[in-house]
Amino acid sequence: MTDSRRTASAAAPPKDDVLSLILDLRGQESGLPSTALPSATLDLIARIRSWASRVLPAPVLADLWQRGAPFPPAVFRSFVAECGAGCLGLHLPPSHGGAGLDAVSAGAVTAELFRADASFGTTLLVHWGLAADSIAICGNGDQKRRFLADMIALRRMACFCLTEPDSGSDASGLKTTAELSPDGSYAISGRKTWIGNATSADLFVIWARNISLPGSPVQGFVLSRSAQTDPASIVTVKIENKTSLRIIQNAHITFAGATCQPCDVLPPVGFGPSVGRVLAQSRLSVAWAPVGMCGHVLDLAAAFVRDREAFGAPLASNQLIQERLVRMAAAVATMRLLAGATSEEVEAGRAGSAAAAMAKAHNTRVGREVVAMGRELLGGRGVLLEDLAA
C-alpha cells in the first residue's frame, strides 16, 4: 500500500465498547488494509453522500419505489452539477471526461452510489459501467471522441443490450442480427429483454450477429434513437410488476431494421477479450455495490439499537444484539477487503474475469445475509420504505 493511502487511525487506542468498535469498522477510513483512500476520493464520497441526503431522501425514494417511476431527469442534472461529471466515468481518463480514478477509489465511489440507492447506482452502472465502457474498451478513437464526453456528462443516456428472451450472457445464443444495407449502413433486427435504462436511453450499445460476415460473428453496434428515421424501428416496453429495483426501468426492446451507421460499428469482431474486459469491469463494480448498501443498513441498525430502549436499557446493551452487529460489521469489512484486493489485482493485470466474478458472487451472497440481519434488528421498521432497509 502506498504512503498516500495510509491513515493515522492505525495508532488509535483500542476501544472496549462494542458499539463504538462497530461504528469505527463502518468508516471508509477505518485503516483496514486496502480501504484507506486518497483525500480527493474521500471528498468526492462526502459530496455524493451530502447530495443524496438532500436530493434523494427517504420520502422521495419511497414515492418513486411505490409508483415504479423512473428518476426525473432533474435528479441526474443535479448530480452532475454538484458531484461532477467524472462520477459517470470513474476510471476513464480525464481526456474523455472521466475522473481517472484508480480501481479501488472507483470501487469505493461506486459503493457510495449504491449506498444512496440501489436503483440509482444500477442506473449509473448500466450507463457508464457497461455502455460507456464498451465504447471506451472496444471503440476506436473517433467513436470515443464522439460518444464518451456526452455520455459521461449525462447529455446522452445509454443502455447495454446483450440479454435476449432465449439467452443471457451466452453470446453464442444471440439471435439479433445486423445486415449490411446497400448504402453501407447496418439494419439491426431482433429482440432484447431486461435492458436497464432502455425507456429513456438515446444510445443503445447492441451486441448482434453480423450476418454480412462469414460465420455471422457477434459484433457491437451503437445506435441512436434520435437518429432513426422510423420511430417504429426501436420499440421499448417497460417490464411491469417488479418487486426489486423498481425505480430503474427495465424493458423489452424490439429492433425492426433500426439503422446503425458504419462509423458506429465497434471494431472487435467476435465476443472476445475486449468484451470480456467490459464484463469483468462491470462485475467488479457489482462486487462493490453490496459494500455501500450493507454499510447503510448497518448504520440504520446500529443507530436503532443504540437509541431504542427495552426493559430500561438500550437494545445495544444486549449481547445477542451485539453479536448480530459484529457479524454485520465483519461481513461489510470483509466484502470491502475482497472488493478492494480484487480491484487492485485486476488493475495490475494479475487477475482477470474469474476473480471479478468470484468477488461479485461472494459479496452479493453475503450482502443479502447482512440485509436480512439488519431487517431483523430493525423489527417492524425493517420492512418500511421510509427506513430504506426494505
Side-chain angles (χ1 to χ4, degrees), residues 287-313:
W288 280 99
V291 176
M293 291 186 285
C294 294
H296 193 191
V297 173
L298 176 58
D299 281 351
L300 294 172
F304 178 74
V305 300
R306 179 190 60 209
D307 300 335
R308 176 67 177 266
E309 290 194 359
F311 305 104

Side-chain angles (χ1 to χ4, degrees), residues 87-92 102-115 118 121-122 124-131 133 137 277-293 335 338-340 342-343 346 353 355-357 359-361 363-364:
C87 288
L88 280 304
L90 296 173
H91 56 277
L92 297 181
D102 64 85
V104 174
S105 291
V109 175
T110 299
E112 188 62 33
L113 296 174
F114 277 84
R115 177 192 172 94
T122 303
L124 299 185
L125 179 57
V126 169
H127 174 74
W128 64 260
L130 287 170
D133 262 10
I137 293 174
R277 286 177 55 199
V278 175
L279 296 178
Q281 184 61 50
S282 72
R283 289 176 183 126
L284 271 181
S285 298
V286 175
W288 280 99
V291 176
M293 291 186 285
M335 284 192 293
L338 178 59
T342 306
S343 296
V346 171
S353 59
K360 170 189 171 182
N363 282 5
T364 52

